[in-house]
Amino acid sequence: MSWKDHILKLCGDAEFFPGARPHELQQAEAELGVALPEDLASLLQESNGVGGEYGLGLIWPLERIVRENKEFREYPDFPELYMPFDHLLFFADAGNGDQFAYPIQAGEIRRPDVFVWIHEDDSRTCCAPSLSTYLERWLTGELLL
């Protein structure tokens, strides 16, 4: 089953976009300094980002993934407010300031778990064992923030 089919079963009004090209994925990985996990890369090749209800970024497009991660890693005030962000790869947000990410260990994404970063208390908690489960839990309301 394609990512689009999977998402449409959960969210009939999801918005899809032209897929990212291999060279765009490679460029993003080079800018981020980490290879994208296989499931996220395959989803982005089908649709470079996925929009949800009310414009929510269920999956950000590559450009936003790069921009948001670089901003979080480089923003000068964040070291005073939060733990470092260079061990997370953000790829979506909850629409309330909280964001979803993969953990980066020793310079690579070694496991498929999805974490949620809660901006109010800087907590980082595993919320799903995979991208597919994150989408299922988020779109069915099982995952509440």
Side-chain angles (χ1 to χ4, degrees):
M1 177 185 308
S2 74
W3 281 105
K4 288 181 184 178
D5 291 340
H6 180 62
I7 293 167
L8 284 172
K9 285 184 178 183
L10 300 165
C11 178
D13 60 353
E15 184 179 6
F16 299 99
F17 307 95
R21 297 185 174 119
H23 76 275
E24 293 170 320
L25 292 169
Q26 291 169 347
Q27 180 180 349
E29 291 173 335
E31 288 185 57
L32 293 166
V34 66
L36 298 173
E38 193 173 311
D39 55 357
L40 180 60
S42 68
L43 189 155
L44 291 168
Q45 287 179 314
E46 278 189 48
S47 179
N48 190 3
V50 179
E53 195 173 30
Y54 309 114
L56 181 66
L58 295 174
I59 303 293
W60 295 336
L62 273 175
E63 178 182 298
R64 184 166 178 197
I65 291 172
V66 171
R67 182 180 72 242
E68 294 281 346
N69 280 279
K70 289 174 90 173
E71 285 178 9
F72 268 75
R73 294 172 188 174
E74 298 169 3
Y75 191 76
D77 293 339
F78 280 178
E80 296 293 323
L81 301 170
Y82 304 115
M83 291 184 283
F85 292 110
D86 54 348
H87 296 291
L88 294 173
L89 177 70
F90 294 115
F91 65 87
D93 67 276
N96 63 358
D98 300 338
Q99 298 193 21
F100 299 99
Y102 286 98
I104 300 172
Q105 299 168 284
E108 61 186 69
I109 297 170
R110 296 180 175 189
R111 54 195 235 211
D113 300 318
V114 173
F115 280 67
V116 60
W117 171 69
I118 307 296
H119 74 284
E120 287 97 352
D121 63 7
D122 194 28
S123 64
R124 296 125 194 258
T125 307
C126 186
C127 64
S130 67
L131 183 63
S132 178
T133 304
Y134 148 75
L135 288 165
E136 291 167 13
R137 289 179 179 172
W138 187 238
L139 292 171
T140 61
E142 182 181 338
L143 176 59
L144 299 172
L145 302 177

